[in-house]
Amino acid sequence: MASDVRADIVVVGGINTDFLVQGSRLPGPGEHAEGHLFLEGLGGKGANGAVGAARLGARVALVGRVGMDARGRALLEQLEGEGVDTGAVVRDPGATTGVSLEMVDEEGGTQSLGAPGANRRLTRDDVLRAEERISLARVLLVQLEVPLEAVSAAVHIARAAGLRVVLDPAPARELSEDLLEAVHVIRPNADEARVLTGVDVVDRTSARRAAENLLRRGVGAAVVAAPGGSLVLSSEGELWLPDRRVELADTTGAGDAFSAALAVAFSEGKTLAEAARFAHEASALATMRLGAFGGLPTRDQVESRLARLGPVALSPDGARM
Ligand code: RIB
């Protein structure tokens, strides 16, 4: 690999086409509801993370799988147009490109149904072929839309090469202690935290309990998204980032924007507290536009928001990091 394509961040994860329909309300089971807006665009937590990090100024490489279909080709072109290195994305003749149907109401409520297709066929060998790309980077960003054997291979290469590892454990599933021990920062939402720890995350106190559980099991730091805010916990202390008030359009991709921004901040040597604040604003911005891809903010947008709003108001007993 030529040195000019060396990445700061390697993302291993899912690549989808998102078909999004917005209506005034979501349909109930067995019901048809009529929407008023349709969007088709790039999605998948891996692709969103890669584009999110590239828009924030990082050099990014993506490892994943798409089909040999027209959608797969179009997604690769879109990724490349965003500056993402797709040299380690496999084109699979045996599966269709992943797809996700997203339904959004006018209050930002969502439902989705996906068909992972080629994403589910990413192998350990695909990841091993990207070993040089991973080893030369600073941060590995992974989620759980691709098989665990692929995630695990990437995490172990990254640890051996001294990278920081950011895990967005979505969609929710249980994980081995071996994998958790190799993770520097995990960023579960309430649902994912419950699956991983058994703790019902309903507020800051329960988010802390979930984060403590993850730290006891070897994770370096946890950023748990709870109702009302995000709880950041490491051995150095705790930080509570209250949710920003924004004009909410759609939360699809907000978690991807958060993880991407964390990865970018770590690749630039920022501290956990700095990285979490940066990611918090990136994620808030991502909820202000419909669709995952359209909402991923640029560096300028995040910087100007940080400058305009100043530091988040920390609750008194939360300003310890
Ligand atoms: O996190 C949002 C993403 O989840 C969407 O883009 C969709 O494709 C699903 O993977």
Side-chain angles (χ1 to χ4, degrees):
M1 189 171 61
S3 59
D4 61 346
V5 295
R6 179 186 290 228
D8 303 311
I9 298 168
V10 173
V11 183
V12 177
I15 307 169
N16 289 337
T17 314
D18 284 358
F19 294 103
L20 180 149
V21 175
Q22 187 184 40
S24 54
R25 64 181 185 85
L26 301 175
E31 193 195 0
H32 173 80
E34 193 172 297
H36 54 254
L37 189 146
F38 170 70
L39 284 178
E40 175 181 342
L42 178 138
K45 296 178 195 307
N48 294 340
V51 171
R55 286 190 186 167
L56 294 173
R59 294 171 303 174
V60 185
L62 178 60
V63 182
R65 272 194 186 230
V66 294
M68 293 285 274
D69 43 25
R71 288 191 296 104
R73 195 168 45 248
L75 292 176
L76 289 181
E77 280 169 15
Q78 220 172 339
L79 285 160
E80 283 153 20
E82 294 280 340
V84 174
D85 167 17
T86 62
V89 177
V90 177
R91 296 211 63 194
D92 185 338
T96 54
T97 298
V99 68
S100 183
L101 308 180
E102 309 282 333
M103 290 183 277
V104 184
D105 69 20
E106 283 171 345
E107 276 76 53
T110 59
Q111 270 177 21
S112 69
L113 186 64
N119 292 312
R120 277 278 171 257
R121 290 159 55 98
L122 188 73
T123 64
R124 185 170 176 273
D125 284 346
D126 293 337
V127 173
L128 294 181
R129 276 191 292 274
E131 180 164 4
E132 189 183 2
R133 271 185 173 78
I134 298 172
S135 301
L136 291 173
R138 296 189 180 140
V139 178
L140 173 74
L141 171 59
V142 282
Q143 322 79 19
L144 304 176
E145 284 182 335
V146 295
L148 274 182
E149 61 157 41
V151 173
S152 192
V155 167
H156 287 107
I157 293 170
R159 285 302 298 226
L163 276 71
R164 294 195 91 172
V165 176
V166 176
L167 169 64
D168 181 349
R173 58 166 119 164
E174 287 174 19
L175 294 173
S176 69
E177 306 300 305
D178 180 52
L179 185 66
L180 288 174
E181 276 169 19
V183 169
H184 286 98
V185 182
I186 191 167
R187 202 277 176 180
N189 65 19
D191 188 40
E192 292 144 12
R194 184 180 45 72
V195 171
L196 284 168
T197 68
V199 176
D200 241 334
V201 174
V202 291
D203 56 13
R204 176 175 171 181
T205 306
S206 45
R208 183 186 303 119
R209 278 210 311 281
E212 284 167 349
N213 173 298
L214 291 163
L215 262 56
R216 272 199 304 279
R217 291 158 69 192
V219 167
V223 183
V224 179
S230 285
L231 187 281
V232 187
L233 188 74
S234 77
S235 58
E236 284 166 26
E238 174 183 323
L239 185 67
W240 173 251
L241 299 166
D243 280 345
R244 291 292 204 187
R245 278 205 197 103
V246 292
E247 264 186 46
L248 178 67
D250 172 24
T251 55
T252 311
D256 305 337
F258 195 107
S259 306
L262 271 185
V264 171
F266 289 139
S267 77
E268 295 172 357
K270 292 197 165 60
T271 64
L272 175 63
E274 288 165 342
R277 289 190 181 106
F278 182 69
H280 193 56
E281 299 309 335
S283 174
L285 280 163
T287 65
M288 294 170 73
R289 289 188 60 183
L290 270 181
F293 179 74
L296 294 166
T298 63
R299 182 74 181 224
D300 283 352
Q301 287 170 322
V302 180
E303 299 283 5
S304 60
R305 191 176 155 84
L306 276 166
R308 187 158 40 85
L309 297 172
V312 285
L314 299 175
S315 55
D317 58 339
R320 287 189 274 129
M321 184 176 279

